[in-house]
Amino acid sequence: MAFKMKVSKYRNIIPKEFKRELWYPDIRPTATDNTGIACSGSYIVVNWASNAGGMMGLLPIHKPGKRIGDPKMVHAHNNPIADLAFSPFSNTLLATSSEDATIKLWRLPAEADISRVEPQTVSTLRAHKRKIDCIAFNPCCAGVLASGSTDKQLKIWNIDTGHPILNPPDLPEGLFSLGWNWTGSLLGSTAKDKKLRIHDVRSATPVVAEASCHEGVKPSRLIWMGRYDLMMTTGFDRTQNRQLGIWDPRNMVKPAKMIRLDSSSGVCTPLYDADTNLFFLCGRGDSAIRVYEGCEAEPFVMETTSVPSDGQSRGVCMLPKLYMRVMACEMNIVYKLTANAVVPTGFYVPRKRKIYDAELYPDTAGLTASVSTEEWFSGTTRPPVLVSMAPKSEFEEEVEAEPQPATSATTSTSTSTSTSTSTSTSTSASPTTSTSSSPTIPDASSSASAAAPKRNIPTIGRHSKYKNITGQPWMKNTWYENLRVNSNVPGSLIRANPKFFSVPWQGPGGRLVVWPFQNGGRLPTDPSWVEHGSDLNDFDCSPFNDNIFVTGGEDAKIKIWQIPDGGLTAITKAPASELVGHTRKIILSNCHPTVDNILCSSSMDLTVKLWDLQKSTELVSLVGHTDAVMNISWDWHGDIAATSCKDKILRVWDPRVNRQVSECAAVDGVKGFKVAWCGKKDKLFTMGFSKASERQWSLWDTRNLGKPMSSSSIDTSAGVLTPYYDADIDVILAFARGDSTFRFFEINDEAPYCHFLTEYTPAPNALSPTQSASIDVLPKRMCNVKTCEVFHVVRLSGVPPTNVERLSFNVPRNKLEFFQDDIFPPTKSTAPLATVSDWFGGAPTKEPELISLQPEGMIALSEAPSDVVTSKYKLLSDAERAAQKETTREDVLDRFYGRMQDFKEDEVKKPGSNDVITEEEWADY
């Protein structure tokens, strides 16, 4: 008879990825075959990327969110770390293995002391000869640790003495993974010879069973299925398809079940909850976490749900069951390591009332070992000591099912709080337990801190009016299509102003097509263009005259073009004027943002020149760069300029006196960087690369460039990010050529001074490709304030780029009938601050003229009338209530009997003497 799966309590489990403010951002994980992440009730440990090797970062588990600088870093080994594992009996005892053939045991400080107390090395285990790939603590004995190495040796350590007590015979190949069964008596392993083995390391025959496992050459993983006497493995078949195998140790001839998962290439990590028999699968490079439920007979596994996510996994780990919020019906929390963050995902069983449900939470393994080290090595076997998950009070208040980083505030255990504060790494056997009244799980290494109850209060994310900026593409009928863009231009591929947009066109001679913003549609195959005369390198448009465009080319010349109001009607080769002075090709040609008729250019002759466009003469030449200048940014008044250079140096200049004010080394990467002046603030924002080729941003104080005020990594993409700063709202839009994601940051005076807001990726579809070749941001006066549009972006999209479309970035708001004056302060007008002669002559700096964006006839939100709140029910005053006659029991009965008398009994047809009604007809009445 076939096994019939009973209805599961967890079949409707709901996964919920935590809010971004509860993530652990700014992570730099290293590439490793193992998971690279481990967690306990106090810490998340990440295998950190470092040129020094062997670094790990410590993240206090109750302190998610943004932080200043890197987390607590520990140089654990001289060579890269291979595996990490926390003791199941202590939140602060960590084991690390490395390519230097050593295992180190670490005692981490209490969470509150992490900033001032360094982690201590308890012992160093040396017996292996080569890289130690996997380590595993015994689940029932605190002093036993197993390790497997590429030297083909399996060792069982007594961590109290630091020596291997059991040394089984060498295996044919090195090990991939290790896993203990529920009672800690048997050890499973997978190896490079594609074998699955079961070891009884305390017996005379260490290997009691073996079988051919997954036939692929990539690593495999093993885990025991909790209380079931079954094993689970993940690996690859001959055709490199990922597999999930279920094995019965009593019959290893063939797997009890083998399931093909998919054809992805990442090694899949299984995580198993022995209490609920739920298990989770997530492979390296996967974006989703799969959830299954196991059973001890056919069909062995049943898929429950999956958790889609944007970030690709670098590894996963699971929070111990003791730290679940049982009042929220929280079953598990899985931490997924991505390229730049640790993302928690909670799993919840839906209930109408968020109260403790004993059916969902069987007793779980506690922090007390069931056998001592000496007993275990002498052959004693006991199951783990179980503790109750019941809350501390029967009348515990209900809580919402909102995931929080605090995990143990509503859970108590039956383990004893009397623990030792010595450095001993084992816990004495204690099969009996006593009740603890502490709201937190006691730690074997910190009884002093356990005495004081700790309230786990989540980090509250800072509020910002621009936190939820959303992108909205324009309709397809507004697009400009059929463009033949020359993608070989090294600079930006599109420039736009309120009248025109311009793109470099394919063909010889440095063609630039300037097209008016009218109704969208297909451009002709051969439109009219301006022809520079040599290959085009950069181009720009004037912020004061929409008809002026400039081009810079390989011929070391800059040409000025006057475009008619209706656009070009013929191919134009004769510029309005020409600037000659550079000796090598032009790199940049940018118009001054506050003074009309001033142009700033840079060249491969390593000079930056300022030009008077009216007289076509050179004003000044800035000398001092040692490599190509990547971009130039001006301060709020247009007096001081900052330059980014490929020599990694950020320089600040006062061009009117031809003097370099200051400089600093801005980045470590070799790809260069971009800089933006932060509006009215004395700050500079740079975006470049780290030594590990990770994209990063940094914020600098122009008065002290010794070190950045704040800095953080973003991701590992290759494009150089360009920051577009809106000085009105202090928000940065960051975008790189060829990227598909728009990122937003906010600058303010609160540490860490730069705050990530959100990111937007256009939805992929057949009409709108996600990849953008280049963008430009239109002036603020072009934004539609009636829809709360704060950025108006013109985007060149497609591979190769063939479309020009627009994107609106809006702030979601209610009461759109009012002008949102809190997010639309007065902005710069188009009036220049000075003439060329006044500015270069050193005239006093003027404040920019500001104009209001408030449309005529639209009331500002700050002046809007207050909402009139009307009550749904009319409440009687005390006098009205006293004047009313009190309703008595007799009044109620009189009204009831009066209604009953009005009821017409003859509405139901009753059979008379002359009526014949069948039983079926009578049933209808």
Side-chain angles (χ1 to χ4, degrees):
M1 177 175 154
F3 175 78
K4 184 177 180 180
M5 183 72 178
K6 65 179 182 179
V7 177
S8 171
K9 300 185 289 289
Y10 314 105
R11 66 187 184 279
N12 296 320
I13 193 167
I14 298 174
K16 188 171 184 181
E17 189 173 272
F18 284 19
K19 295 179 180 179
R20 188 174 288 270
E21 50 263 33
L22 297 177
W23 293 10
Y24 302 83
D26 306 329
I27 303 297
R28 296 198 299 275
T30 187
T32 177
D33 291 338
N34 289 36
T35 63
I37 182 173
C39 71
S40 68
S42 299
Y43 288 100
I44 299 172
V45 179
V46 176
N47 193 349
W48 207 265
S50 172
N51 291 334
M55 296 291 292
M56 61 181 181
L58 306 182
L59 304 171
I61 205 164
H62 300 117
K63 295 181 180 179
K66 284 284 187 179
R67 63 180 183 276
I68 300 177
D70 287 335
K72 186 75 171 183
M73 304 301 297
V74 179
H75 191 190
H77 296 268
N78 294 328
N79 288 18
I81 296 173
D83 201 8
L84 303 160
F86 272 100
S87 169
F89 307 104
S90 173
N91 290 328
T92 58
L93 180 60
L94 173 70
T96 60
S97 67
S98 172
E99 294 182 8
D100 60 9
T102 63
I103 300 172
K104 289 189 178 181
L105 298 174
W106 301 86
R107 179 64 69 184
L108 308 182
E111 285 186 78
D113 301 329
I114 186 63
S115 60
R116 57 187 179 85
V117 179
E118 293 295 326
Q120 300 296 320
T121 304
V122 177
S123 61
T124 302
L125 312 182
R126 294 184 175 91
H128 286 290
K129 300 175 183 178
R130 298 181 66 184
K131 172 185 175 183
I132 303 173
D133 287 299
C134 47
I135 51 178
F137 278 98
N138 190 288
C140 299
C141 180
V144 175
L145 176 73
S147 64
S149 169
T150 55
D151 61 7
K152 306 177 184 180
Q153 292 182 351
L154 170 65
K155 295 186 180 297
I156 310 299
W157 302 80
N158 182 340
I159 60 177
D160 293 333
T161 61
H163 298 293
I165 304 300
L166 300 176
N167 296 279
D170 290 358
L171 300 170
E173 290 290 345
L175 298 179
F176 281 139
S177 65
L178 294 171
W180 294 95
N181 69 344
W182 174 248
T183 60
S185 58
L186 297 178
L187 180 66
S189 69
T190 59
K192 293 181 181 179
D193 60 357
K194 308 174 187 178
K195 295 289 186 179
L196 168 64
R197 294 178 176 87
I198 299 176
H199 308 264
D200 185 354
V201 293
R202 296 177 296 180
S203 68
T205 310
V207 178
V208 296
E210 73 175 28
S212 295
C213 193
H214 304 281
E215 298 179 348
V217 297
K218 293 185 178 180
S220 55
R221 297 287 181 259
L222 172 143
I223 194 169
W224 288 76
M225 295 178 64
R227 295 171 173 86
Y228 297 152
D229 194 14
L230 297 171
M231 290 185 296
M232 177 189 302
T233 61
T234 59
F236 296 82
D237 61 15
R238 290 181 179 178
T239 58
Q240 301 307 310
N241 293 316
R242 291 200 295 194
Q243 293 179 315
L244 170 66
I246 307 297
W247 302 82
D248 188 344
R250 296 158 294 190
N251 181 12
M252 297 282 285
V253 176
K254 63 178 182 178
K257 195 176 188 68
M258 186 66 72
I259 302 172
R260 179 187 177 277
L261 296 175
D262 51 40
S263 58
S264 298
S265 60
V267 177
C268 202
T269 300
L271 304 172
Y272 200 90
D273 180 355
D275 302 328
T276 63
N277 294 309
L278 294 174
F279 64 94
F280 309 88
L281 297 181
C282 186
R284 184 177 178 84
D286 289 0
S287 59
I289 302 174
R290 303 183 188 186
V291 186
Y292 297 82
E293 184 172 1
C295 52
E296 57 184 336
E298 281 286 353
F300 295 106
V301 295
M302 293 183 63
E303 186 166 8
T304 304
T305 184
S306 63
V307 190
S309 178
D310 294 334
Q312 293 184 341
S313 171
R314 299 280 188 93
V316 289
C317 65
M318 187 164 63
L319 189 68
K321 197 61 177 288
L322 284 172
Y323 304 94
M324 297 300 104
R325 298 187 322 126
V326 297
M327 301 301 291
C329 296
E330 184 177 64
M331 305 311 302
N332 296 97
I333 296 179
V334 174
Y335 293 97
K336 183 172 74 171
L337 178 64
T338 65
N340 54 11
V342 174
V343 181
T345 300
F347 295 86
Y348 304 86
V349 172
R351 288 290 188 268
K352 291 183 179 179
R353 295 184 64 199
K354 302 303 178 185
I355 59 176
Y356 173 71
D357 188 344
E359 292 185 355
L360 298 179
Y361 295 99
D363 291 350
T364 189
L367 296 177
T368 303
S370 60
V371 294
S372 66
T373 306
E374 293 76 13
E375 289 177 328
W376 189 88
F377 280 109
S378 64
T380 303
T381 298
R382 296 193 192 102
V385 176
L386 302 182
V387 296
S388 173
M389 295 285 288
K392 59 185 178 182
S393 171
E394 182 182 357
F395 305 100
E396 186 78 41
E397 61 178 354
E398 297 184 20
V399 297
E400 299 180 1
E402 179 67 26
Q404 300 291 341
T407 54
S408 59
T410 61
T411 305
S412 67
T413 70
S414 302
T415 55
S416 174
T417 57
S418 60
T419 54
S420 173
T421 57
S422 66
T423 59
S424 172
T425 58
S426 64
T427 305
S428 60
S430 179
T432 61
T433 58
S434 61
T435 302
S436 169
S437 61
S438 174
T440 58
I441 301 301
D443 191 313
S445 65
S446 55
S447 61
S449 62
K454 183 194 301 181
R455 295 193 62 188
N456 299 313
I457 301 176
T459 301
I460 300 177
R462 59 177 299 275
H463 171 72
S464 173
K465 292 177 284 188
Y466 313 102
K467 176 70 175 177
N468 298 314
I469 290 178
T470 58
Q472 180 62 48
W474 284 32
M475 300 294 290
K476 186 174 173 59
N477 58 7
T478 64
W479 294 12
Y480 299 88
E481 302 176 294
N482 195 36
L483 277 71
R484 296 191 297 116
V485 177
N486 179 13
S487 301
N488 295 325
V489 173
S492 175
L493 296 181
I494 188 169
R495 295 288 187 184
N497 59 33
K499 278 188 180 181
F500 304 98
F501 71 86
S502 57
V503 294
W505 204 259
Q506 292 180 4
R511 302 171 181 179
L512 181 71
V513 169
V514 182
W515 198 261
F517 277 122
Q518 296 173 351
N519 295 329
R522 293 177 63 86
L523 268 66
T525 305
D526 292 314
S528 300
W529 60 69
V530 297
E531 190 170 312
H532 183 86
S534 67
D535 289 344
L536 199 62
N537 284 339
D538 195 32
F539 55 99
D540 198 10
C541 52
S542 171
F544 306 104
N545 188 338
D546 293 339
N547 298 80
I548 297 295
F549 282 77
V550 298
T551 59
E554 290 280 344
D555 57 359
K557 296 179 181 179
I558 301 170
K559 297 185 178 181
I560 316 301
W561 308 89
Q562 181 78 33
I563 308 299
D565 285 334
L568 296 169
T569 56
I571 296 175
T572 304
K573 297 184 179 181
S577 59
E578 187 174 299
L579 307 177
V580 179
H582 286 293
T583 58
R584 298 185 64 184
K585 68 178 182 180
I586 303 297
I587 301 173
L588 291 175
S589 54
N590 298 136
C591 295
H592 196 283
T594 61
V595 181
D596 195 10
N597 293 315
I598 288 184
L599 179 76
C600 184
S601 65
S602 69
S603 166
M604 280 305 296
D605 61 10
L606 307 184
T607 63
V608 175
K609 296 182 182 293
L610 271 66
W611 307 83
D612 184 342
L613 297 186
Q614 287 181 324
K615 301 179 180 179
S616 300
T617 57
E618 178 183 323
L619 296 174
V620 67
S621 180
L622 306 178
V623 180
H625 297 93
T626 61
D627 207 333
V629 174
M630 297 192 66
N631 85 309
I632 302 169
S633 182
W634 296 84
D635 70 345
W636 174 249
H637 300 96
D639 296 335
I640 307 298
T643 60
S644 63
C645 185
K646 281 191 175 181
D647 61 6
K648 310 177 188 180
I649 303 299
L650 169 65
R651 296 175 174 87
V652 180
W653 300 83
D654 186 348
R656 293 184 292 181
V657 296
N658 197 356
R659 181 174 65 90
Q660 179 178 320
V661 179
S662 59
E663 68 174 34
C664 69
V667 293
D668 296 323
V670 298
K671 295 183 180 180
F673 67 101
K674 298 288 184 71
V675 62
W677 206 290
C678 296
K680 306 172 188 178
K681 303 179 182 295
D682 294 326
K683 297 181 177 66
L684 292 171
F685 186 81
T686 60
M687 307 194 84
F689 292 83
S690 67
K691 286 183 179 179
S693 295
E694 294 177 318
R695 294 198 293 195
Q696 65 179 14
W697 60 261
S698 298
L699 188 66
W700 306 81
D701 189 339
T702 57
R703 297 162 296 186
N704 180 15
L705 295 180
K707 64 177 182 178
M709 302 172 62
S710 182
S711 182
S712 178
S713 296
I714 302 173
D715 56 25
T716 57
S717 298
V720 180
L721 286 163
T722 300
Y724 298 86
Y725 193 88
D726 187 331
D728 300 333
I729 60 177
D730 295 319
V731 172
I732 291 173
L733 185 158
F735 184 82
R737 179 169 167 175
D739 263 13
S740 58
T741 301
F742 297 80
R743 295 173 175 84
F744 294 89
F745 302 84
E746 184 175 14
I747 306 297
N748 60 17
D749 297 326
E750 301 175 8
Y753 310 107
C754 178
H755 307 271
F756 174 79
L757 294 176
T758 186
E759 61 183 29
Y760 167 76
T761 301
N765 56 65
L767 298 179
S768 178
T770 60
Q771 187 170 354
S772 303
S774 188
I775 68 166
D776 200 11
V777 179
L778 291 180
K780 196 62 173 288
R781 64 182 185 275
M782 294 298 296
C783 291
N784 184 0
V785 298
K786 294 183 178 180
T787 60
C788 295
E789 183 184 35
V790 291
F791 283 97
H792 189 138
V793 173
V794 180
R795 160 171 106 121
L796 181 62
S797 63
V799 182
T802 56
N803 304 320
V804 170
E805 55 180 301
R806 300 202 208 185
L807 290 172
S808 294
F809 290 97
N810 307 319
V811 176
R813 281 294 179 96
N814 297 323
K815 300 183 180 181
L816 293 179
E817 65 273 17
F818 298 107
F819 173 67
Q820 311 288 321
D821 51 346
D822 60 327
I823 62 174
F824 290 107
T827 188
K828 274 186 179 181
S829 70
T830 57
L833 298 187
T835 62
V836 176
S837 58
D838 290 343
W839 181 83
F840 199 70
T845 302
K846 297 180 181 179
E847 286 295 326
E849 179 185 347
L850 302 180
I851 58 173
S852 174
L853 296 175
Q854 182 175 354
E856 185 176 355
M858 197 172 184
I859 302 175
L861 182 64
S862 59
E863 301 172 358
S866 302
D867 292 336
V868 178
V869 180
T870 59
S871 177
K872 184 176 181 180
Y873 303 100
K874 181 180 178 181
L875 302 179
L876 298 178
S877 64
D878 293 339
E880 291 174 331
R881 190 179 301 106
Q884 283 187 338
K885 180 183 178 181
E886 182 179 357
T887 302
T888 64
R889 181 174 179 272
E890 287 74 15
D891 294 335
V892 175
L893 291 175
D894 288 344
R895 286 199 297 268
F896 174 73
Y897 288 127
R899 293 178 183 177
M900 290 296 293
Q901 291 174 0
D902 295 335
F903 182 73
K904 297 180 180 180
E905 297 181 358
D906 57 349
E907 288 182 353
V908 178
K909 182 179 179 181
K910 296 183 179 179
S913 58
N914 298 325
D915 296 328
V916 179
I917 298 178
T918 65
E919 290 294 330
E920 291 80 4
E921 292 175 326
W922 178 248
D924 295 335
Y925 289 96

